[in-house]
Amino acid sequence: IGLEYQIKAWTVKDVTEYHKTHYRPDNALLYVVGDVDPKHVVDEITKAFGDVPVDASVSEKQPAAKGVSTLFGGGGGGGGGGATPTTTVVADGALEDAVSGSSSLKEQSRHFPPVLHAWSGGPYDKTAAVPVVVEDGIAEPATTTTTTTTNGKRPANGLRTAPTLSTSRAALARELMERPEVTPTAHPVTDVPVRAHVFQHEMLQTFSFHLFAKRPVEPVNSFEDHRLYVMRRVALAALQVRLNVMARDEPVFSFVEFNHLDSAREACAVCSLDMTADAGRWKDAVRAAVRETRRMGTYGITMSELERFSQALVTDSEQLAAMGDQLAHADQVTHLMETLACDHVFMDPAAAHAATLAAIDSITLEDVNRVAADLCAHVVDLAAPTTDTTTPSAIVACAPTTLSNGQPVDIDNAELLAVVAAAAAEPIAPEPELVVPKALMDDAEIAALAATAQRMSASVTDDEKHLSPGARNAARVGARAKTLGNGARVVVKSLANEAQRGAIRLTAAGGRSIEGILPGIKSGAVMLGARTLQEGGAFAPWTREQVELFCVDRLIMVEVTCTDEALFVDFQFPTPPPRSGGCGGLEAALQIAHKILEPGAFVWEADALDRARLGLAQQHETSLKSMEGAAQDALLSTLLDGDERFRSVAPDPDLTLEDVERAVMTLFRPDNVEVVVVGDFDADDAEQLADAYIGSVQPFETAETSSDAVPLADADAPAVPLYYASDDDDKPAPTADERLLRLHVADSDPRAVAYLAGGAPNRAGILADGRRLVDAVVERLAGSRASSNTNGNNGGADAPQIQIPERWRHPLFATVALALLQEVINRRLFSVVREKRQLTYDANFHLSDHDRLKGGWYLVSVTASPANADAALEACRDTLEALAAPAKHPPTRDNLESARRVVINRHLADLAANKYWCDCLAGVTFDSAPGVTADGLADFVDVANKVTVNDLVAILGFIDVAADHTVACVATSGADDETQGLSPTDAAMGAGDEHGRSHVSLRRR
């Protein structure tokens, strides 16, 4: 949005002049993508915009650019022209004609600062500037020169000196350029200036490192250009996997990435090494990341990497081509806009795939390694840079001022640059070749598993293969649900919406809610065990690196998630086998699932536990040091009676590898597991594979487990521990003062957020006391009717009975009605708190997403200025109370119809995604989740269309807004004197800019 002092200085004239200057037809491009008739679209555009007058006095202020390529300085024409851009209607693919008449705000505008690029040097330009509109005209660049890139192409921008600015802007620019963080630091070896800057703040918890190289965008307009693009993709993929493997071996990292992206927004290409790490070991992390990047730049990739990542790139391209017209229109528009803005040739997925195949067939190892050397040159040359070598455009580190133990973090610009330079000079060796398996099991093992599964299935009668009521109607949505011989449940759905793509969700009932409750499961063990599972990945006899590359070959993504009520392992993959041979994506994913579930197959590693513990500790510390995280933790602690299973907690340092393995594997007993398989495959084949790999899993046995015990998937689920529903009579309920929490977090920005939370049904409409929402509504209506009859007329046995509407009997009714209610409440909060009372720009209402646990909670969050936080909180409370009171301001028909459109359209759009089907079908076979049913996907729209305003009013009675049943928290940040001791520029730049900030959601999934 901008700096606060700037926003406060705007006048009505400023805003109207800005709109008049820029929001006009001759300064716009209109993109239309979809199932439309081009001629009709052109006619409609002409009808809508053809008569809109163009203000010549405004247009003349904007110099014409010859084409989009001049955004990067390579299109000719510069910015010196004075012609008024013309309005062009795009028809029959004449995109270039439309672009050629536009002018770029990145090139010249009195409303935006100039774009002053500091290229990464070497074969690229050192600096570049763009013309700037000043108060009395256009400032032209003084000189222009060009250089040549390493691949023999003219760069997309020439070397230009900075233009003259207006007096006020020149003063600001001069002050900014003289700030310490902008002034270059002399390299410790060669004294070449390098822009290295360290930013420290007491609110930061981790160390982050960013090494940038800015380069001109190189348009992709020929096969040779595309070939270069493909080689970059191969080199980047190889380097990223190396970094991922290194991050697992080096527990100092929580994230590390190297990327090269064309940015139309920034008018350049950015090559960046980004990393977050433990602040106490920042030097080790920087050395490791720089060393690995330098290895790639020095020695390149191996032959096996070339084969592996070339085939992965082809597979990815093939997936997009197979999707064809199924690609979302919004994604197509975004791709089209970015492609044209970067002056690339726009290709549909089929054409891009054909070009990619041709490029892959033509590249050699030497070709790719030359490209890899160019990508990493700014790191390779950093050991002893000269004025003729490639150097980073900037090196930036962000660090806390102290560690969690209070030890100060001492780091400055010179030390940061010295550590990077030393790492760039360390001795390195080439990457060794690595054997990657074609499959995780050989044919003999697979045959043995199939025989085991068949034997186990034959030993159990059909009557013993229990299937929950929710899964018995799976055929209504074209799915197959079954219970295997070992008790595992499998749901298979063939879906061609995502061509050649598949997804699997493995669900183990339990989650954090059983920590410290189930025998043998220590507090925090499930959460830490799930993270250890994610950090690991070795399956004997294969190492973690080999398994990871096995997944890379097949583009398999695996994610482990631990929630309050379940442990999830999600897989996404292409279904065809890779061109290099071996099993296809579906079978590979099921092999991984088998290895995870089978006792003794997954290798629980101590270093994976160390990384998991470090990651969770950093996540917890980050949460509690943020205003939003600290507020929500305090709120949940009070609302949920201090129960740590539902809060962010630091991992217990006493938990051992055996503790976390026992916790996870106890949940992974076959009869507590459900596997949902959705995708573009033959259902018979998928079912056969699932029978073999999932049906052969043996149970995990410990002294605490019993094969006769009812699995958590079918057992009565526990209730959410709301403080006012506690059975502990000796524990006093929180007082009114204890239910209104206040906290302050020291920060440079004065901000505030308020929360309100209370009890609610779970997503399936089950209350904390175990009653179904519909039954509770009927009971309340009957009680109200009885009270009315007793006090007046018509009492006794002659009183009419409550007639239950047929729609209420549908198992999906509560789920759909609650989704509609959430949308209605959000719209009312927007209308009242933001529009009418003008206390905030952001107020949200969310229901927790529990399916198994009885009951849940709602959370209202509202951001405001510190002065308005209490008023905004009360406005939210008043809004909820008014909605729940029929005599005040209940939901209206318009509220419901608007919400209905949003909820139904979102559901219909999501039905195209495999992941959505997995999410909706997950838990359908569990008796402990009676509200999850296959009928939901079949009847969602019909049920949503039948919900009435009266239904919402009745349900609102169970969104508990009673003062003694709710907890509120007002959190603020800032200091007593925000600008004390700061320069005017520092004070202005440090003022409250809330744009882009978000709070941590209480939603668990």
Side-chain angles (χ1 to χ4, degrees), residues 292-581:
E292 198 59 51
T293 305
R294 185 165 152 262
R295 190 194 319 277
M296 172 62 72
T298 303
Y299 296 107
I301 67 176
T302 66
M303 180 57 71
S304 62
E305 286 178 321
L306 174 62
E307 295 172 355
R308 177 177 309 115
F309 297 109
S310 294
Q311 298 312 316
L313 187 59
V314 168
T315 301
D316 186 46
S317 174
E318 186 178 30
Q319 301 304 304
L320 288 176
M323 290 289 290
D325 293 337
Q326 295 174 341
L327 292 173
H329 293 156
D331 294 337
Q332 291 273 42
V333 168
T334 300
H335 176 52
L336 175 63
M337 294 171 65
E338 291 177 351
T339 299
L340 294 181
C342 293
D343 204 19
H344 301 322
V345 168
F346 180 80
M347 294 185 286
D348 63 43
H353 178 55
T356 298
L357 283 175
I360 289 294
D361 290 339
S362 72
I363 64 177
T364 66
L365 183 64
E366 292 73 19
D367 292 336
V368 176
N369 285 343
R370 278 195 295 270
V371 172
D374 179 59
L375 279 172
C376 304
H378 59 287
V379 178
V380 173
D381 295 339
L382 200 51
T386 68
T387 55
D388 296 323
T389 59
T390 306
T391 55
S393 300
I395 303 174
V396 179
C398 301
T401 53
T402 59
L403 302 177
S404 57
N405 60 7
Q407 179 182 347
V409 178
D410 296 322
I411 176 176
D412 58 25
N413 300 353
E415 184 179 16
L416 174 65
L417 180 56
V419 170
V420 174
E426 290 182 7
I428 53 175
E431 183 77 5
E433 291 280 3
L434 187 68
V435 176
V436 178
K438 300 293 185 183
L440 297 179
M441 307 174 194
D442 59 30
D443 292 342
E445 290 178 280
I446 295 171
L449 292 182
T452 299
Q454 188 174 13
R455 185 173 59 254
M456 295 174 70
S457 180
S459 65
V460 181
T461 65
D462 289 341
D463 291 339
E464 293 175 311
K465 295 178 182 178
H466 173 75
L467 197 61
S468 70
R472 291 171 190 164
N473 293 329
R476 290 194 62 204
V477 292
R480 305 177 183 183
K482 63 190 298 185
T483 301
L484 305 180
N486 59 358
R489 306 102 191 280
V490 171
V491 181
V492 175
K493 165 66 178 176
S494 179
L495 188 70
N497 289 349
E498 294 185 57
Q500 300 184 9
R501 297 289 302 173
I504 294 175
R505 165 159 283 192
L506 187 159
T507 305
R512 291 193 62 193
S513 61
I514 58 98
E515 291 178 342
I517 306 298
L518 206 64
I521 309 300
K522 296 182 179 180
S523 179
V526 176
M527 175 182 64
L528 183 57
R531 185 65 176 259
T532 304
L533 184 66
Q534 179 76 68
E535 294 291 338
F539 306 133
W542 308 112
T543 66
R544 183 174 61 239
E545 185 176 1
Q546 288 174 309
V547 173
E548 184 162 348
L549 293 177
F550 171 79
C551 293
V552 168
D553 282 355
R554 289 154 183 80
L555 299 181
I556 298 174
M557 302 294 295
V558 185
E559 181 180 12
V560 182
T561 309
C562 179
T563 69
D564 300 336
E565 56 185 3
L567 190 60
F568 299 103
V569 184
D570 288 298
F571 302 82
Q572 296 189 59
F573 49 87
T575 51
R579 296 178 69 189
S580 56

Side-chain angles (χ1 to χ4, degrees), residues 624-787:
L624 292 191
K625 282 193 174 182
S626 73
M627 178 182 69
E628 296 84 357
Q632 292 187 44
D633 185 74
L635 189 85
L636 275 183
S637 179
T638 302
L639 179 68
L640 302 180
D641 210 22
D643 197 320
E644 290 189 347
R645 297 173 299 166
F646 301 89
R647 298 169 51 201
S648 170
V649 294
D652 186 345
D654 295 328
L655 285 173
T656 66
L657 196 61
E658 291 74 19
D659 292 333
V660 300
E661 179 184 5
R662 181 186 301 110
V664 171
M665 295 309 295
T666 298
L667 296 186
F668 279 166
R669 55 181 280 188
D671 58 358
N672 192 52
V673 166
E674 172 195 75
V675 176
V676 178
V677 186
V678 179
D680 184 17
F681 45 66
D682 181 81
D684 290 335
D685 292 343
E687 190 172 356
Q688 185 178 1
L689 290 171
D691 287 353
Y693 289 114
I694 305 302
S696 59
V697 172
Q698 303 293 323
F700 177 74
E701 300 291 349
T702 68
E704 293 85 4
T705 61
S706 170
S707 58
D708 297 330
V710 177
L712 295 171
D714 299 324
D716 191 34
V720 170
L722 299 168
Y723 72 85
Y724 55 82
S726 174
D727 295 329
D728 188 354
D729 296 333
D730 296 329
K731 187 174 183 179
T735 64
D737 289 341
E738 292 171 334
R739 294 196 304 273
L740 178 56
L741 310 171
R742 295 186 182 275
L743 61 88
H744 181 79
V745 175
D747 198 357
S748 56
D749 292 344
R751 300 185 295 122
V753 63
Y755 295 104
L756 176 68
N762 72 6
R763 188 167 65 167
I766 306 299
L767 301 174
D769 59 12
R771 291 181 299 164
R772 293 173 60 247
L773 179 60
V774 169
D775 295 336
V777 169
V778 171
E779 289 176 17
R780 181 169 292 185
L781 291 175
S784 176
R785 183 78 55 84
S787 175

Side-chain angles (χ1 to χ4, degrees), residues 899-914:
R900 200 188 324 263
R901 284 194 299 272
V902 170
V903 171
I904 289 177
N905 289 338
R906 183 166 55 222
H907 168 75
L908 293 176
D910 288 344
L911 281 176
N914 294 333

Side-chain angles (χ1 to χ4, degrees), residues 926-944:
F926 291 168
D927 283 348
S928 60
V932 182
T933 168
D935 292 333
L937 286 162
D939 300 335
F940 188 98
V941 174
D942 182 58
V943 174

Side-chain angles (χ1 to χ4, degrees), residues 207 209 246 250 252-253 273 275 281-295 379 415 418-424 426 428:
F207 172 86
F209 174 80
M246 179 196 64
E250 297 275 356
V252 295
F253 296 105
L273 173 63
M275 175 196 69
R281 297 186 60 189
W282 72 268
K283 293 182 180 180
D284 295 335
V286 168
R287 290 191 193 104
V290 170
R291 183 172 59 245
E292 198 59 51
T293 305
R294 185 165 152 262
R295 190 194 319 277
V379 178
E415 184 179 16
V419 170
V420 174
E426 290 182 7
I428 53 175

